[in-house]
Amino acid sequence: MHSLMFFELAQRNVRLHWLRSLLAILGIIIGVVTIVSMGILGNSLVLAISDSLSTVGDSIIVTPHVGGMGFGGSQSSNLLSDRDVEQIRRAAAPHVTIPVYSGSSRMKIGSEDTVGTIYGLKPDDIPVLLEVDQGSYLRGASGAMVGATFAEENEIKVGSRISLGEMGSVRVVGILKERGMGFDINPDFGIVVEDQWFKQAFGQEEYNQVIVKVNDLNKIEEVKDSIDRTMNRKETVVDVIDTRAILETILTTFGQISTFTTVIGGISLIVAGVSILNIMLMSVTERIKEIGVIRSIGTQRKEVLRMFLYEALILGLIGSSIGGALSIIGGYAVSMVMLQTTEYLFVPSSLVYIVYGVGFGLGTSLISGLYPAWKASNLNPIEALRHE
Amino acid sequence: MEETIDPECDGDTIIRFREVTKVYPLPGGDVVALDKVSLDIGKGDFIAIMGPSGSGKSTLLNLMGCLDTPTAGTLCIRGKNIRGMSDEDLTILRRDYLGFIFQQFNLLPLLTALENVQYPLILKTGSRECRERCRVVLNAMDLDESLFSHKPSEMSGGQQQRVAIARALVNDPEILLADEPTGNLDTKTGAAIMHLLDDLNRDRGKTIIMVTHDPSIAEYAHRVIRIVDGKIS
Ligand SMILES: Nc1ncnc2c1ncn2[C@@H]1O[C@H](COP(=O)(O)OP(=O)(O)OP(=O)(O)O)[C@@H](O)[C@H]1O
Ligand SMILES: [Mg+2]
């Protein structure tokens, strides 16, 4: 019960000096909002990126080694031959190996001119990599499937015709589901045609890359090593990367950015802590005589300590809870500005930053109050009484 | 608090000084505020301490009030030796058995008159259900009920001192210590306060030790202790 009395005293003192209490509270609010907004922004960035990366890390991508001169200059074109693909297929067995042609071309849809990426894939491989949204997968030789974004931007529907200039024209048989940014292919912004058609149209015999689908994540290293050993025996002919590693690197990088921004928020909290320390020291100095009185009439040291800690706690509690509430707005604002979406705001991994922020706010206030409170509780009662 | 009966402390004195010396070490040399003071105060005594400024009156009172401990000698309060008691035990002693009345009243500025009286009671009992008792104590000090909800800054010196005495009395202490209780009051108000103290001594058997410069105030006491240069004369 007497805790209540000390709390009451602390609260009255906070109210008596409302202006400076307000300033200290403001500091805490700013600190908490910064920490939480930065935390939410970092977390949303990570979520947004992992969402837009379609390949969750189950692919190995084999590309010709850049700058690598094949023997006799025969591979200076930086493409992969049928023989290379066969070797990769054997090295990667039993996992599915998908050779990919890619290029870009001017396209004419109706009267509109545009440029887009074209991928050439074996019809059998398409369902392994891509999902159809409308229409069907490729059957005939002069059909094409269109990426979601590309279709939307150019108002392409199933049955539309796309003219590729002198290479001929294709009829759209299917619209692909949106796939998101990938490390292998990005069909959202292009079209997919049959490999044979591509070969003819571009006059290109060799492949631009090979994708190996490894469904068991634990096998990725093994398969990667196997391909590397087979292909790069004498010299580096191909680069073998796995999407999981890229994904991890990117996520780690963004994790670090997010930590960094949160640390900046932390620094602003420290500044707020210093301001609490400052006003608490003022409060102790002003009340030395009062402390002498309450000590002389029977208040224990630890009770004096508690009374002043309550004061810091009140400031921290008000600042942190207002800060916590405002940081939802802050998080909303940074998400809107930086990501143009708030879909990553109301998820547990973002909202938990509010808990962290409020916790840090309270912690900072208490730690800042500790020294002044300790100082108050250790005053000599007689000297405190004589203080004017 | 453990009940250690010190052979030096027995007898029916409520306060006993035996060769008590208090030295304040200062950079310019030690100040001997009390020099081998011995004295006995019995239960129910009303004592005035008089002496020139700087003679050690407040030092003596502070030692009785367990706000400070002797540099040398033995000090017994209620039959117990103060030496070796922890700060916590001394604080409990002050809270439960000693009542303090100050020259500057020293009410807590954030609390109302009634709350100031409640403060020591809540400290002791931990209960907030003490308004009635506090009202009774305040009423006994002849304080108008309309002032109970006033802050100290809204009261006269005499009114504040009445509240301060009520605060000192609320835990029903055996000893009241007053350092110039009328020093900041006019003659008439001072006399009224002295009547209150006199009643407390006469009717309720409180032991009162009071520091004063004023001989007419000292007349209320049964015994006057004169102190000069830290020595009782
Ligand atoms: N905390 C202290 N530190 C150093 N010296 C002190 C301290 N308290 C008191 N003294 C010294 O001890 C001596 C006695 O002081 P004390 O306050 O007991 O005098 P007093 O009789 O109460 O005087 P007054 O009538 O002016 O109140 C003085 O010389 C004073 O300077
Ligand atoms: Mg004095």
Side-chain angles (χ1 to χ4, degrees), chain A residues 1 12 295-296 299-300 382, chain B residues 87 94 110 115 119 126:
Chain A
M1 253 305 148
R12 286 190 196 182
R295 286 283 284 127
S296 67
T299 310
Q300 296 288 0
I382 299 177
Chain B
D87 182 77
R94 292 200 295 271
L110 290 170
E115 287 167 338
Y119 181 93

Side-chain angles (χ1 to χ4, degrees), chain A residues 1-2 4-6 8-10 12-13 16 287 289-290 292-303 307 380-382 385-386 388, chain B residues 24 62 67-68 87-89 91-92 94-95 100 102 104 106-112 115 118-120 122-123 125-128 151 167:
Chain A
M1 253 305 148
H2 51 284
L4 215 68
M5 178 173 69
F6 293 121
E8 177 76 27
L9 270 169
R12 286 190 196 182
N13 197 51
L16 180 67
R287 295 167 77 191
K289 177 135 191 183
E290 223 180 304
V293 174
I294 62 173
R295 286 283 284 127
S296 67
I297 63 177
T299 310
Q300 296 288 0
R301 274 190 188 148
K302 56 179 187 238
E303 290 166 334
M307 184 172 90
N380 176 314
I382 299 177
L385 266 176
R386 286 171 13 143
E388 280 317 311
Chain B
Y24 291 110
N62 289 339
L67 288 168
D68 213 341
D87 182 77
E88 192 175 346
D89 288 343
T91 306
I92 292 173
R94 292 200 295 271
R95 184 191 71 189
F100 288 85
F102 306 92
Q104 285 116 342
N106 287 349
L107 295 176
L108 300 180
L110 290 170
L111 300 181
T112 65
E115 287 167 338
Q118 282 179 297
Y119 181 93
I122 296 173
L123 268 192
T125 63
S127 157
R128 298 210 117 195
K151 293 272 170 70
R167 178 178 70 181

Side-chain angles (χ1 to χ4, degrees), chain A residues 380 382-383 386, chain B residues 22-26 30-34 49-62 68 103 179-180 211-213 227 229-230:
Chain A
N380 176 314
I382 299 177
E383 270 158 35
R386 286 171 13 143
Chain B
K22 181 69 195 178
V23 178
Y24 291 110
L26 289 181
D30 292 355
V31 176
V32 181
L34 288 180
I49 300 171
M50 296 189 80
S53 187
S55 55
K57 304 181 297 292
S58 296
T59 305
L60 192 67
L61 205 70
N62 289 339
D68 213 341
Q103 181 176 355
D179 199 342
E180 307 202 35
V211 168
T212 185
H213 278 117
I227 182 166
D229 286 338

